[in-house]
Amino acid sequence: MSSAAPARLKIAILSDIHYAGDAEKQRGHNYESRAVGNPLQRNFLRCYRHFFWMRNPLEQGKQLDRFLAAVGPVDLAVVNGDYSCDTRFVGVSDPASLQSAQECLGKLRKKFSGRIHFTFGDHELGKLTFFSGQGGMRLASWTQATQTLGLVPFWKISAGDYVLMGITSSLIALPAHQTDMLPEEIADWQKLRENHLVEIRAAFDALEPHQRVLLFCHDPTALPFLLREEPVRQKIKQIEQTIIGHLHSRLILWKSRLLSGIPPIRFLGHAVNRFTLALNKASDWRPFNVRLCPALSGIELLDDGGYYVVEIDPSAKSPAQFTFHPLPRKQ
């Protein structure tokens, strides 16, 4: 008598929760525009947030509660980064942002117990703001994220002939974030990056030919740098899907693909330079079979947030089946 086929596994995937606890909420919704000195830029940013990006960025914690109530039974959950609103722009070394992230992760861990894995987003570590140039990556945020929050830079799970991997995009894309780092911290960040790449190379070297990979990477800016790694290039066809976050909406992903290959723009400030550098290499995303998991709240313009549930066949005889579950804010 033949043995029964292994049961299909259900995995919930969500990203970019941007949860704000009480301390971050006290800073007010205009926390970002207040940091901008130029009044024209400040007004543009306010309009951009009000009509396009997110009108009330500190009120999105309700979406997490709605997700936790709506998601059905799953075998595993993966969360693809950005747990706080990072209202001081330096990651979770800011006590208020750390509190937000702790509350967010606490709710998720309570729901899924030991059946949940987290990737790093850029908000965990800090990032320069678009217009003001304030903030940036801080080693103190790395320490808080790994020690206090318990985030793991690289993780790997085997599920039959599938391998799930979570990587830290901010480390891999470190060459694109030179202006985000304090000069005295650059050498330590580079050591962290090399250690991270050692783990990734070893994981891809260990892949058997029959195994398929679901890769979780918050920011697709990291993918061209990852493609430079020989073990990744050798096994690139085994990556069935790379699930990204960061872009918040499929509209942004579509625009990124449309603008793929544009030359870097270096005269409009660090943010434009960084974004156009990423878009210049966006054609290198293609071999990774990118799929965007949008922000849980989507963007203001489209209200297109939600989460995925993916079913995988552990025998890998059929590709993973992704089902998107919209979670509109305006109901």
Side-chain angles (χ1 to χ4, degrees), residues 248-261:
H248 282 217
S249 170
R250 280 171 280 191
L251 174 63
I252 308 300
L253 178 61
W254 173 77
K255 286 187 175 182
S256 299
R257 286 171 168 160
L258 186 68
L259 296 172
S260 173

Side-chain angles (χ1 to χ4, degrees), residues 31-36 39-51 53 129-132:
Y31 66 90
E32 189 174 14
S33 60
R34 285 199 304 270
V36 179
L40 291 177
Q41 290 181 335
R42 185 166 59 247
N43 288 331
F44 170 80
L45 179 58
R46 285 173 175 169
C47 290
Y48 172 76
R49 276 209 170 269
H50 187 84
F51 294 107
W53 194 245
T129 61
F130 193 88
F131 288 114
S132 73

Side-chain angles (χ1 to χ4, degrees), residues 201-223:
R201 292 173 195 136
F204 275 87
D205 276 334
L207 284 175
E208 299 292 338
H210 62 277
Q211 291 180 310
R212 311 187 76 159
V213 176
L214 295 181
L215 182 66
F216 294 86
C217 174
H218 175 76
D219 182 354
T221 304
L223 299 180

Side-chain angles (χ1 to χ4, degrees), residues 12-283:
I13 303 170
L14 65 156
S15 189
D16 295 85
I17 300 168
H18 297 291
Y19 185 95
D22 289 341
E24 285 206 283
K25 286 180 180 179
Q26 289 174 10
R27 291 171 176 166
H29 294 300
N30 291 327
Y31 66 90
E32 189 174 14
S33 60
R34 285 199 304 270
V36 179
N38 185 304
L40 291 177
Q41 290 181 335
R42 185 166 59 247
N43 288 331
F44 170 80
L45 179 58
R46 285 173 175 169
C47 290
Y48 172 76
R49 276 209 170 269
H50 187 84
F51 294 107
F52 183 80
W53 194 245
M54 187 53 60
R55 189 170 300 172
N56 299 311
L58 303 181
E59 298 297 333
Q60 304 318 307
K62 299 172 184 176
Q63 284 294 93
L64 175 59
D65 293 334
R66 294 183 61 217
F67 161 77
L68 294 173
V71 67
V74 294
D75 300 292
L76 186 70
V78 177
V79 197
N80 214 14
D82 279 4
Y83 307 109
S84 78
C85 287
D86 190 20
T87 50
R88 280 292 182 263
F89 324 120
V90 293
V92 294
S93 58
D94 165 48
S97 299
L98 178 64
Q99 178 199 58
S100 297
Q102 285 177 309
E103 290 182 19
C104 177
L105 298 182
K107 290 186 176 188
L108 288 161
R109 284 171 171 147
K110 181 178 179 180
K111 173 73 174 182
F112 297 104
S113 187
R115 299 173 292 110
I116 189 165
H117 291 267
F118 303 93
T119 63
F120 272 81
D122 48 329
H123 280 210
E124 279 66 75
L125 300 178
K127 59 188 293 187
L128 287 173
T129 61
F130 193 88
F131 288 114
S132 73
Q134 294 187 18
M137 298 172 67
R138 298 291 185 268
L139 282 174
S141 290
W142 176 267
T143 301
Q144 291 283 30
T146 54
Q147 296 183 9
T148 305
L149 297 179
L151 299 183
V152 179
F154 174 81
W155 52 264
K156 182 175 74 169
I157 306 167
S158 294
D161 288 339
Y162 270 94
V163 177
L164 282 61
M165 297 186 197
I167 60 177
T168 300
S169 56
S170 295
L171 287 183
I172 298 167
L174 200 65
H177 301 320
Q178 292 296 313
T179 57
D180 288 63
M181 295 177 283
L182 297 174
E184 63 270 23
E185 293 186 351
I186 290 176
D188 288 326
W189 281 116
Q190 290 173 336
K191 290 178 183 177
L192 288 170
R193 179 179 191 263
E194 182 53 37
N195 291 338
H196 190 47
L197 289 173
V198 167
E199 289 185 292
I200 294 170
R201 292 173 195 136
F204 275 87
D205 276 334
L207 284 175
E208 299 292 338
H210 62 277
Q211 291 180 310
R212 311 187 76 159
V213 176
L214 295 181
L215 182 66
F216 294 86
C217 174
H218 175 76
D219 182 354
T221 304
L223 299 180
F225 295 96
L226 194 59
L227 194 60
R228 297 177 185 177
E229 300 297 321
E230 182 62 24
V232 177
R233 286 199 306 273
Q234 289 180 352
K235 307 289 180 69
I236 192 73
K237 292 184 179 179
Q238 292 178 242
I239 300 178
E240 184 176 301
Q241 297 269 303
T242 297
I243 298 89
I244 63 168
H246 189 63
L247 303 181
H248 282 217
S249 170
R250 280 171 280 191
L251 174 63
I252 308 300
L253 178 61
W254 173 77
K255 286 187 175 182
S256 299
R257 286 171 168 160
L258 186 68
L259 296 172
S260 173
I262 67 169
I265 299 173
R266 305 184 187 279
F267 57 88
L268 292 177
H270 72 275
V272 173
N273 181 39
R274 183 173 60 191
F275 293 157
T276 53
L277 277 171
L279 291 172
N280 179 254
K281 299 294 185 181
S283 60

